[in-house]
């Protein structure tokens, strides 16, 4: 396998297909989808409900195995086939390289906002103690959550939980970020704040970012725009 992906990609999906169910209930969620994520690029993925957006994010990020096709990622100067790794290798790879914002947030109920971010830094071996706390607080501050840092999810609003989930994905400065509708519960002001954070992570920290959204107002923030419909992907002009 080549040591770098061509076309300046850092993550590449090749001919990905994925179906759910068996027999009569079989449904194709992805039909031959290929795309490149590039460092320093913020990409937007749109498409109707049920078109396969969450499925594509899960396949690209190493959470859901495709039926056919490959996901190649550059990591530590090598090209790796994400779905040829062992489960343990893939878990380590994800922990080290990938931030994921789930559509349903997936926060830990027992942890405060600050602890949700600190634990990512500790588990990944990025930072501990005072340094983890400082980085967690800085990220919460950027998300407008400084006053909420001691609250657990049950005492946060939907939009506050969503911003904690975004902070958790970004706090370790990951190479790859996948965000599934990260602004769906936010007012426009906070939505813009989140898009600016994602844009900074791409443009200043060279992350490759793929964001799913239904909101056309996000188009001016992104570098590239993909449309997924009925399991087929196409790149579209932003204008
Ligand atoms: N676990 C599952 N079992 C069976 N079918 C599923 C499963 N997950 C998704 N699907 C089906 O696969 C298709 C794609 O689903 P997916 O969640 O990827 O769509 P989506 O574009 O993210 O939709 P939304 O905008 O509503 O979040 C849909 O038809 C959905 O019903
Ligand atoms: Mg979805």
């Amino acid at each position: 396998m080549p040591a770098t992906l061509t076309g300046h990609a850092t993550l590449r999906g090749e001919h990905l297909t994925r179906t759910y169910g068996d027999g009569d209930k079989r449904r194709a969620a992805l039909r031959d989808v290929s795309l490149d994520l590039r460092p320093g690029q913020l990409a937007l993925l749109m498409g109707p409900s049920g078109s396969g957006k969450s499925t594509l994010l899960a396949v690209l990020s190493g959470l859901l195995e495709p039926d056919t096709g490959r996901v190649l990622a550059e990591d530590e100067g090598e090209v790796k086939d994400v779905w040829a790794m062992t489960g343990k290798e893939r878990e380590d790879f994800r922990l080290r390289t990938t931030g994921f914002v789930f559509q349903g947030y997936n926060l830990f109920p027992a942890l405060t906002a600050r602890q949700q971010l600190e634990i990512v830094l500790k588990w990944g071996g990025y930072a501990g103690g005072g340094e983890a706390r400082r980085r967690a607080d800085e990220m919460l501050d950027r998300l407008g959550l400084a006053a909420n840092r001691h609250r657990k999810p049950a005492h946060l609003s939907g939009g506050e939980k969503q911003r904690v989930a975004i902070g958790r994905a970004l706090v370790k400065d990951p190479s790859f970020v996948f965000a599934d509708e990260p602004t769906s519960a936010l007012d426009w002001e906070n939505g813009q704040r989140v898009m600016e954070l994602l844009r900074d992570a791409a443009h200043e920290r060279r992350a490759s970012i793929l964001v799913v959204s239904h909101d056309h107002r996000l188009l001016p923030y992104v570098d590239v725009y993909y449309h997924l419909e009925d399991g087929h992907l196409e790149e579209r002009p932003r204008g």
Side-chain angles (χ1 to χ4, degrees):
M1 206 167 283
T4 52
L5 294 167
T6 51
H8 306 293
T10 41
L11 191 132
R12 169 171 296 160
E14 285 181 349
H15 304 296
L16 297 167
T17 67
R18 171 73 201 201
T19 51
Y20 292 106
D22 322 288
D24 289 353
K25 297 214 175 81
R26 209 170 155 79
R27 272 205 62 151
L30 298 177
R31 308 168 197 259
D32 195 8
V33 170
S34 297
L35 91 163
D36 277 357
L37 301 185
R38 299 194 168 87
Q41 194 175 64
L42 176 54
L44 179 65
L45 175 63
M46 298 185 105
S49 181
S51 60
K53 304 180 299 296
S54 296
T55 302
L56 180 57
L57 248 53
V59 167
L60 290 173
S61 64
L63 287 170
L64 180 74
E65 189 166 10
D67 297 333
T68 61
R70 295 196 300 182
V71 177
L72 302 177
E74 270 184 29
D75 178 39
E76 299 176 321
E78 264 183 76
V79 177
K80 297 180 179 168
D81 181 336
V82 172
W83 288 104
M85 295 176 188
T86 65
K88 171 80 169 74
E89 285 167 348
R90 199 163 38 249
E91 206 173 291
D92 289 347
F93 166 80
R94 295 190 70 254
L95 194 61
R96 247 181 329 99
T97 63
T98 305
F100 199 106
V101 183
F102 290 91
Q103 207 167 356
Y105 318 144
N106 287 22
L107 297 176
F108 302 107
L111 300 186
T112 66
R114 177 200 263 166
Q115 288 167 337
Q116 312 264 353
L117 273 63
E118 279 180 308
I119 207 164
V120 170
L121 294 170
K122 287 177 188 164
W123 278 350
Y126 295 93
E131 172 66 6
R133 178 154 302 179
R134 190 190 62 72
R135 282 175 65 175
D137 284 350
E138 185 185 48
M139 180 58 74
L140 291 173
D141 201 23
R142 290 194 69 186
L143 287 158
L145 290 169
N148 294 304
R149 63 176 167 246
H150 299 302
R151 295 199 179 168
K152 294 178 183 171
H155 300 284
L156 294 169
S157 73
E160 287 161 354
K161 283 198 277 260
Q162 189 161 38
R163 280 178 284 153
V164 173
I166 291 156
R168 189 178 58 176
L170 292 179
V171 73
K172 62 182 178 182
D173 272 340
S175 305
F176 310 113
V177 178
F178 299 93
D180 205 344
E181 307 203 22
T183 62
S184 60
L186 303 182
D187 55 48
W188 181 229
E189 191 188 324
N190 279 305
Q192 284 176 298
R193 201 190 309 227
V194 162
M195 288 311 286
E196 280 160 16
L197 260 176
L198 290 170
R199 195 167 58 181
D200 286 355
H203 294 182
E204 287 167 24
R205 300 171 194 228
R206 309 297 295 161
S208 303
I209 305 188
L210 185 58
V211 176
V212 169
S213 177
H214 290 283
D215 189 348
H216 283 86
R217 291 181 301 180
L218 305 188
L219 277 168
Y221 287 89
V222 305
D223 304 306
V224 56
Y225 160 40
Y226 295 101
H227 183 82
L228 188 64
E229 186 137 8
D230 198 22
H232 294 286
L233 187 80
E234 68 175 32
E235 189 177 335
R236 289 201 174 164
R238 289 188 304 132

